[in-house]
Amino acid sequence: MLMTTYECQLRCAYCNVSRGPRRMDEETARRGADLLLSSRAGHLLLNFFGGEPLLAWDLVKKTALYARARRGGRPLRVNLTTNGLLLDDEKISFLKSVDGYVHLSLDGPADANAARLAGTGPGAQKVMEAALRRLAESGLPYHVNAVVTPERAAAFDQDLLALEALGARRIQFGYKVGVLWSSDAVAALLRALDRYAARGKAELNNRTSESEPVMLSRETIVDTDGGVYWDGGIFLEAALPKARAALRLGHLDDDLDVDSLADDPHKPYERFLEAYPAKTEGRHVILNNIKVGLALKRHWTGQRGNEDPEIRRGVVQAGLAEQDRFIKKNMPGLDRVFLFMKGGCDLDCLFCKNKPEKDHQSLDEITAVLDENAVLRRDKIALVGNEPLAHPRILDVVKLCRKKGFTDIEIMTSGMRLEALAKPLAKAGVTSYALALHGSTAKIHDAVVRRPGSYAAALRGAAAAQAAGSRIYLHASACRDNLADLPSLEKLARRRGWPFSIHPLRPKDSDGMNVPYEQIAPDYAELRAALTGRVTSLTGFPSCVASRIQGLASCPDGEVADSMRLYLRHQAFVKPEGCSSCPERDGCAGTFEEHLRARPAEREELALP
């Protein structure tokens, strides 16, 4: 981040930046950009902050163009955080031209925003709302940044709903830091978020963010004078005056390795406690705000349906270059990158919920993602999502993949649309499919996915794809409704020559499943009773459970589509303390906290103390 200026038209009551006339000059901004460009990362992010960076618009433009010209072909996104008072069509047009993204600060309707607007005149609220409408209509990616204080926590869901009414479709909220939050205020905030989750329609970025606790943020910021800090050194200065010195990392004149600045997650914490020893007033605030962040982190982890945050950040939310780096480091057995397709789903499964078909990416968006392969030169890609075949231009998407160098193209699908598309997709370049089949008969499969005719459609599609030369990888999720039938399904797959694997259900929150996890997921004892000696395709289950069922047999990686291997890794498995002495621990997937919490008796199945 570049701290472009400390000047701002607003005087927000919760802002801890020490405002004043200081501005960054062009040379410092370029050197800050150079520090970013020295990174070895596949993706770069240049964030202009303040104050109000639009008061230094010429500096923003020149620095963004400077960095874009020197990025060496790597994707570089330009972020700008603004109150919107100076945001016009010309600025939006420029930001679109440099792969820009806007964080628009707006806390809600006039009463929620009142503390920010003192002294700005009666028209400021309308100008900020107009900026939101302009962004929503422009096509420039953005989100609204709203701040909640302890005083407004109990009614924060109303502020979020009001932002929706003003046109916000993506929101990220922050909470006031540098003050003490009572346990009652934190509880009120979490209840407000639960109420909003039940009624709200906007996408809350916090659900997938790894920014908490914000007090321990390791984002790097360059100050107006070239000083380099973890961002709390600047954003907390007014509330915690010792933060600036505590979180200083050096100066642009120093020989800084930007990639190493954020390596140690404990350093901000240690530095804070050293600057604010025990029994000092600031220490109470620091520890209190960290606890608020941890409470929110636990809240969002539960809301995310038990996903692994590292996989989400390193693969699901990442571009191809970042995926490439993450997969090589953390998933060396996987030699494929992934294109995540937006849109709906054709099914409405018992263990999931139908997603309406909407918001497909444009070909331009997909091209921008695939362009990264010019440097990577990967040859394998998988198209994953709720239903990639629902994309209205799926044939063109596949052709783009081939054009960008991918010769091995896998698609995850329910198979509902596959029969008609199998031949043209094979001609376009598709080599394999990861296809879900949850029963050996129409009665069982259709009941699980809650779509009559889906079993017949999936089999016809799989047969058509196989006839066109594509390979079929079959998988099923083990639930109580298909448990007794899984051996027959495995036999069906073997007869057809299709690789086959059986996976555990992933716990999700109540908004993500038609039937609660506790009702639909089988106990490990039920798995043993129904499947022992009858299947050899279990994968993703605890090793001790799987070995009792299928002995020394195991489902080899070659039987599992890469899409499903990623899906399994994306789940937030845990290994309880009692597993520490197990010789199979390192190669074991583990289990789910929700599973053990809902069924304490499972500890006996896992031989846990």
Side-chain angles (χ1 to χ4, degrees):
M1 289 190 286
L2 299 182
M3 190 67 178
T4 56
T5 177
Y6 283 84
E7 298 168 297
C8 185
Q9 311 98 313
L10 304 181
R11 294 293 181 269
C12 303
Y14 50 73
C15 181
N16 288 306
V17 176
S18 297
R19 292 177 292 269
R22 291 169 289 168
R23 281 198 184 191
M24 181 175 283
D25 59 36
E26 289 184 24
E27 180 184 358
T28 302
R30 285 195 300 270
R31 293 180 66 196
D34 287 338
L35 179 63
L36 170 68
L37 295 168
S38 71
S39 169
R40 297 176 293 278
H43 262 69
L44 303 175
L45 173 62
L46 183 61
N47 195 345
F48 293 96
F49 211 91
E52 172 51 57
L54 292 186
L55 291 171
W57 177 238
D58 285 344
L59 178 72
V60 170
K61 286 197 298 183
K62 291 177 181 178
T63 310
L65 292 172
Y66 174 86
R68 296 275 295 178
R70 289 161 177 78
R71 60 189 165 131
R74 289 179 292 176
L76 185 148
R77 195 176 75 192
V78 175
N79 273 17
L80 183 127
T81 300
T82 176
N83 57 39
L85 293 175
L86 296 176
L87 189 65
D88 55 29
D89 291 337
E90 180 268 328
K91 295 181 178 68
I92 288 176
S93 178
F94 174 82
L95 290 168
K96 289 177 71 173
S97 74
V98 293
D99 191 19
Y101 188 103
V102 169
H103 302 232
L104 178 68
S105 296
L106 180 62
D107 295 339
D111 61 332
N113 218 29
R116 306 180 64 203
L117 302 180
T120 60
Q125 176 75 20
K126 291 183 178 179
V127 174
M128 297 168 83
E129 292 178 8
L132 172 56
R133 291 192 296 271
R134 187 177 288 113
L135 280 171
E137 295 166 359
S138 70
L140 176 66
Y142 77 97
H143 70 248
V144 172
N145 191 71
V147 176
V148 59
T149 65
E151 295 75 22
R152 289 192 72 88
F156 189 51
D157 55 318
Q158 298 302 313
D159 291 343
L160 293 173
L161 290 169
L163 280 171
E164 270 191 41
L166 293 174
R169 295 296 174 261
R170 289 175 296 279
I171 303 172
Q172 179 167 310
F173 79 85
Y175 50 95
K176 184 177 180 179
V177 292
V179 297
L180 292 172
W181 280 71
S182 69
S183 57
D184 288 344
V186 175
L189 176 59
L190 297 181
R191 287 193 296 270
L193 292 172
D194 285 337
R195 290 195 299 271
Y196 180 74
R199 298 178 55 196
K201 300 292 191 297
E203 177 183 343
L204 278 184
N205 290 358
N206 302 69
R207 285 182 177 141
T208 55
S209 171
E210 289 301 307
S211 61
E212 295 295 348
V214 294
M215 294 290 287
L216 304 182
S217 169
R218 287 167 289 137
E219 289 192 70
T220 304
I221 186 165
V222 179
D223 201 5
T224 53
D225 63 355
V228 182
Y229 300 83
W230 280 317
D231 62 356
I234 290 177
F235 298 149
L236 291 166
E237 185 176 21
L240 297 167
K242 297 179 183 178
R244 177 176 282 270
L247 300 185
R248 183 179 172 89
L249 300 170
H251 191 276
L252 291 175
D253 291 337
D254 303 329
D255 184 19
L256 297 176
D257 178 2
V258 68
D259 292 320
S260 69
L261 295 179
D263 278 352
D264 189 339
H266 302 295
K267 283 184 178 176
Y269 178 71
E270 293 166 357
R271 291 188 182 201
F272 266 132
L273 297 193
E274 185 178 344
Y276 289 91
K279 298 183 180 180
T280 59
E281 183 178 353
R283 188 185 185 98
H284 296 314
V285 173
I286 292 165
L287 295 178
N288 173 271
N289 288 183
I290 289 173
K291 288 180 180 179
V292 175
L294 291 174
L296 284 166
K297 188 172 186 175
R298 287 191 295 269
H299 181 81
W300 294 123
T301 299
Q303 295 263 328
R304 284 198 296 265
N306 211 329
E307 299 176 354
D308 185 298
E310 295 294 328
I311 300 293
R312 185 180 62 255
R313 184 170 59 245
V315 182
V316 179
Q317 294 179 330
L320 299 190
E322 191 68 19
Q323 286 186 33
D324 179 77
R325 187 171 64 168
F326 182 89
I327 289 169
K328 285 178 178 176
K329 180 179 179 181
N330 302 285
M331 308 167 73
L334 191 64
D335 61 350
R336 191 182 297 269
V337 290
F338 299 85
L339 176 64
F340 292 87
M341 308 283 289
K342 297 179 182 178
C345 183
D346 292 328
L347 306 180
D348 191 21
C349 300
L350 293 170
F351 47 78
C352 196
K353 278 193 177 179
N354 177 259
K355 286 85 175 175
E357 188 175 323
K358 62 178 182 179
D359 297 333
H360 297 292
Q361 299 109 309
S362 68
L363 281 184
D364 286 343
E365 290 178 85
I366 292 173
T367 300
V369 174
L370 297 177
D371 276 344
E372 296 181 39
N373 202 45
V375 176
L376 303 178
R377 300 191 181 281
R378 285 268 192 171
D379 60 357
K380 295 182 180 180
I381 193 169
L383 278 55
V384 297
N386 293 314
E387 179 50 76
L389 297 190
H391 194 287
R393 301 188 65 179
I394 184 61
L395 288 173
D396 292 322
V397 173
V398 173
K399 290 175 183 177
L400 266 175
C401 291
R402 284 296 298 268
K403 182 179 179 181
K404 300 301 180 181
F406 294 103
T407 56
D408 186 325
I409 303 171
E410 176 182 297
I411 296 182
M412 174 185 281
T413 180
S414 67
M416 292 285 285
R417 304 173 188 239
L418 184 54
E419 182 181 17
L421 288 169
K423 191 171 182 179
L425 281 172
K427 186 176 180 181
V430 175
T431 53
S432 62
Y433 295 91
L435 190 146
L437 200 68
H438 299 292
S440 66
T441 67
K443 179 179 180 181
I444 295 173
H445 174 83
D446 291 2
V448 171
V449 302
R450 308 201 328 167
R451 283 290 184 268
S454 58
Y455 176 80
L459 285 185
R460 291 195 305 268
Q466 194 170 31
S470 301
R471 184 164 186 174
I472 300 297
Y473 291 84
L474 211 64
H475 61 268
S477 296
C479 57
R480 281 174 169 159
D481 294 68
N482 70 355
L483 191 57
D485 182 61
L486 289 176
S488 297
L489 181 56
E490 182 176 286
K491 290 177 182 177
L492 182 152
R494 299 285 184 257
R495 288 197 305 270
R496 304 254 180 155
W498 296 336
F500 177 66
S501 54
I502 302 169
H503 305 276
L505 288 184
R506 181 171 77 188
K508 298 179 181 179
D509 60 64
S510 58
D511 292 335
M513 305 182 82
N514 284 307
V515 178
Y517 177 81
E518 293 79 5
Q519 294 181 28
I520 194 171
D523 298 334
Y524 293 141
E526 291 175 290
L527 283 168
R528 273 195 303 108
L531 303 180
T532 297
R534 303 180 65 200
V535 299
T536 59
S537 303
L538 296 178
T539 186
F541 292 88
S543 295
C544 55
V545 173
S547 63
R548 291 174 192 148
I549 293 172
Q550 53 193 30
L552 296 177
S554 63
C555 185
D557 284 347
E559 292 284 296
V560 186
D562 286 341
S563 301
M564 291 309 297
R565 291 173 67 194
L566 176 67
Y567 175 81
L568 283 169
R569 289 291 299 271
H570 191 201
Q571 302 180 39
F573 291 107
V574 297
K575 296 174 184 177
E577 287 184 23
C579 297
S580 59
S581 60
C582 176
E584 302 295 326
R585 188 181 193 280
D586 290 342
C588 177
T591 186
F592 299 108
E593 285 186 1
E594 289 84 352
H595 194 89
L596 294 178
R597 190 183 308 128
R599 296 161 174 157
E602 294 289 66
R603 300 182 70 84
E604 297 180 10
E605 287 291 318
L606 296 173
L608 295 177

